[in-house]
Structure formats: structure tokens, C-alpha cells
Amino acid sequence: MTAPFAYLDHAATTPLRAEALEAMLPFLTEHFGNPSGSHAVSRRARAAVDQARVTVAAALGCDAGEVVFTGSGTEADNLALAGVVGRRGGSVVCTAVEHHAVLHAARACAGRVVGVRPDGVVDLDRLALALDDGVSVVSVMLANNEVGTIQPLAEVAAVVRERAPGAALHTDAVQAFAWLDVAASAAPADLVAVSAHKFGGPKGVGALVVRSGTEVAPVLHGGGQERDRRSGTHNVAGIVGMAAAMAATVDARAATVERVGALRDRLADGLLASVPGAVETGDRSTRVAGSCHLRFPGIESEALLVLLDDAGLCASAGSACASGAMEPSHVLAAMGVPRHEALSSLRLSLGATTTDDDIDLALGIVPAAVARLRGSPRVA
Ligand code: PLP
């Protein structure tokens, strides 16, 4: 008998959806062609990529010709920032809570970083102050990977259009697609990045929407695939799997958000009630349905994660271990969470496959682990 086990780390990655696996298998076996060729085997692969492009475009609310397939969400973000700067020159402005795929890409383009409010939402006044005609791309994520904060993209776009009318607006929608109608929410953006493995697709494939009128210089040079915007032989099975996962996600999204949102509330409320001193990070009303982020002052997340793992709960902390010392997450620091509290945080991220049993298990395991770390035998 295997011990009970719960996976609450869907923001890190999600299990492959059955629809994605089924769609991919023929392209890992008999339909192995290179879609750039001209013979029958190649044409079969190209037809699949073309069909996937139509599906992805529908899910993202753009034309098929505006979809650029990439090797990851990281690559999509890098192509957006470096691609626009490579084409137009100028500089990058992004928020302080972006994923490192954006923050580090922005740094490589001499970017400026704009702060957020304590709830994690971008400070629009500070954004306005950071913008001028020298800015060629502004990057504001749709949903945050650590605390799940949803950014008000329409308001961001209004500020960008007024203060830096020549700038392209990029949004990292990698964590958003599972929960939000990205076609609508990201409509104000000129560039939209997604990653398949965050919504039941395979790892190592993503897409960047490049709306017509926005041009990106390629980051990868070579055979000129993706209309010269991203060279490299297409990952046919990956692209087909991403499209299948997208279609399945869109079909089930409303029901998933409602069901998982209720599970998340039960989990967060349950832990806040059973762990003395527990604090919820940010504001639940501006957060995607799968995201639960708590702090347990007095304990270290690193030690907590080990106990949780031993007890069968897969979770994450969102802190990075740099040169042997735990560093608080840049997201929590930007939100003004004190360092010692940031180092006591726990990210529990739910997904489409999360069940009531997973939540029951977590509600048993987490309070016991915190109590053990605090040295008391029982939690109130
Ligand atoms: N952007 C965000 C918000 C993410 O959460 C991640 C992955 O965690 C990425 C970008 C990078 O995506 P990928 O893992 O496909 O490189």
C-alpha cells in the first residue's frame, strides 16, 4: 500500500493531461517528420503544427500568424524583451515581482524595475513615473507565480499608452492561463507569453503572441522557422500536446476555477484557523484560484518543506538558496514582507487535478509539521 500523498505544487509544474498525451503519441512514433521539409512525412507534421497554431491562437485571442512557438515560457519572455529591444532599441521597464525569466532578461537590456503595493499589485503611479519615450517595452505579468496576484492589465495598458505610446506591452501569462481567460485578460498586451507545462501540457514548449504591428528581432538564429522569429526545428509533439492541453483547459476552465477556488479557500481558512500566528500573504480577492500563500512566523520554510515532504505533501517556499544562505523571495520583499517572515513562507499551489483528499491531507500535515518545528506537541 502506498502512503497518502498530495501534490500541491502546480505552480511549479502540472501533470500531463490525458488529452495532451493522446495527441502527442503519434508524433513521437509514426508521424516523426520535420515540418520544414516538403515530402509527405514532413507535410503530415506540418499539418499538425498548423492545426495546433489555430487552436493556440483561438485560446489566446489572436490570429494564427501571431503565434510564435518557443522552447519554454522563459524563451517566450526573453524573445519578447530582447526581441523588441533588438528591433527598436530603447529600454525595458518591468515590475519588481516578475519571474526571473523577465527580471533577468530586463536586466540584460538595462531595464528599470517598478515597485508594487503591499498586496502585490503594480503601483500605477510609480509605473507612470518610470515611463518615457526611451522605453520600448513594458513587461507586467498577468498572474504571479508565488502569490498568484492578478495584475490589472487594462489599467497598466492605459498608463503605458499615455506615458510611452511607442512602447510595446508584454505580459507573462505563464501562471495565468490555467485560471484566466487569457484571450480577454491579455487583450491589451502586444506580446503574451505562455508555457505548456503550467496547464497540463508537456515541459519544454511555450508560445509568444506577437501581435501584428509589433516586431521582434530573433534571439535564436538559424533555419528561419516561425517566419524568422524563432529558428529551430519545431517540437512537433510538444506543440501538439500544448494545443490539446490548451483546448481542454479552456473547455473546463470555468468549472475548474469554481471547484479549485473553493478547495483553496477551505485550505487557506483551515490553516489560518489551525496554525497559531499564521498569516496569509496578499489579498485573496486579487489572486488566481489555485494559489494559497501563507507565512508561519517562527519557523523556517526550508525545514518545513522537509517535514512536509517526509509526510507526503509536495509544496514549495518560493525562496532561493544563494551561497548557502536562504534568501527571501524578491516577490515578498517587493511586497514589503519583513525578511524573517518571508523566510517562513509556504506556497501551496492547487491545480485541475487537486482533490478534496489532497486538501484533507494538507490540513492534517501542515499544522502538525509547524507544531513540531515550534517544539510543541500539539497545535491549538
Ligand atoms: N514565467 C512565470 C510566471 C513562471 O512561473 C515560469 C515558470 O515557473 C516561467 C515564466 C518560465 O516558464 P518555463 O518553465 O516554461 O521556462
Side-chain angles (χ1 to χ4, degrees):
M1 212 180 82
T2 48
F5 167 87
Y7 181 83
L8 293 181
D9 201 14
H10 286 80
T13 198
T14 59
L16 194 68
R17 276 181 174 272
E19 297 91 339
L21 178 62
E22 195 189 334
M24 291 170 75
L25 280 175
F27 297 94
L28 293 166
T29 51
E30 71 261 42
H31 301 314
F32 58 86
N34 183 333
S36 299
S38 57
H39 49 62
V41 174
S42 286
R43 288 199 304 274
R44 180 70 189 83
R46 187 159 61 246
V49 172
D50 290 347
Q51 182 53 51
R53 198 184 299 282
V54 170
T55 304
V56 169
L60 295 177
C62 64
D63 292 337
E66 295 174 322
V67 174
V68 179
F69 290 124
T70 65
S72 62
T74 299
E75 191 195 315
D77 284 334
N78 275 263
L79 177 59
L81 271 55
V84 171
V85 171
R87 185 66 77 199
R88 301 186 189 174
S91 62
V92 177
V93 167
C94 68
T95 79
V97 294
E98 299 298 313
H99 188 273
H100 285 132
V102 166
L103 270 182
H104 291 179
R107 194 184 293 162
C109 302
R112 257 179 300 163
V113 172
V114 172
V116 297
R117 307 185 320 213
D119 60 1
V121 175
V122 61
D123 184 325
L124 293 173
D125 294 332
R126 284 158 83 177
L127 177 65
L129 286 175
L131 298 180
D132 58 38
D133 288 343
V135 177
S136 57
V137 56
V138 179
S139 186
V140 177
M141 71 201 317
L142 199 48
N144 183 264
N145 45 300
E146 285 184 38
V147 290
T149 317
I150 302 166
Q151 299 293 347
L153 214 61
E155 291 170 47
V156 167
V159 172
V160 173
R161 303 302 175 223
E162 191 193 324
R163 302 282 303 187
L169 175 59
H170 167 252
T171 193
D172 175 336
V174 167
Q175 292 289 343
F177 189 83
W179 310 110
L180 305 178
D181 176 0
V182 169
S185 318
D190 305 298
L191 300 144
V192 184
V194 291
S195 173
H197 74 105
K198 306 293 186 179
F199 51 85
K203 293 165 187 62
V205 59
L208 180 68
V209 174
V210 182
R211 294 210 202 276
S212 63
T214 302
E215 293 202 356
V216 287
V219 169
L220 297 183
H221 302 273
Q225 288 89 344
E226 295 298 285
R227 301 208 338 243
D228 232 358
R229 293 168 296 185
R230 196 275 185 182
S231 285
T233 301
H234 291 97
N235 172 0
V236 180
I239 288 168
V240 166
M242 174 164 69
M246 269 191 163
T249 299
V250 170
D251 281 352
R253 192 154 48 198
T256 304
V257 166
E258 196 179 331
R259 187 184 70 80
V260 176
L263 290 179
R264 187 274 314 273
D265 289 346
R266 184 160 80 82
L267 176 64
D269 292 339
L271 292 178
L272 288 168
S274 62
V275 182
V279 184
E280 187 166 12
T281 310
D283 177 355
R284 219 186 287 175
S285 68
T286 56
R287 168 177 309 176
V288 291
S291 175
C292 173
H293 193 287
L294 300 171
R295 285 144 26 219
F296 304 114
I299 62 115
E300 283 180 6
S301 13
E302 214 183 352
L304 178 62
L305 288 179
V306 172
L307 288 189
L308 298 183
D309 191 23
D310 282 350
L313 178 62
C314 298
S316 149
S319 299
C321 189
S323 46
M326 283 303 281
E327 279 305 317
S329 112
H330 67 281
V331 174
L332 300 183
M335 292 168 68
V337 175
R339 182 187 160 86
H340 65 278
E341 277 198 29
L343 291 173
S344 73
S345 61
L346 178 67
R347 178 185 77 175
L348 297 165
S349 50
L350 291 65
T353 54
T354 303
T355 63
D356 261 307
D357 287 350
D358 293 329
I359 303 307
D360 290 340
L361 202 69
L363 286 172
I365 290 174
V366 176
V370 174
R372 195 168 144 199
L373 288 173
R374 284 176 174 163
S376 80
R378 265 195 57 77
V379 175

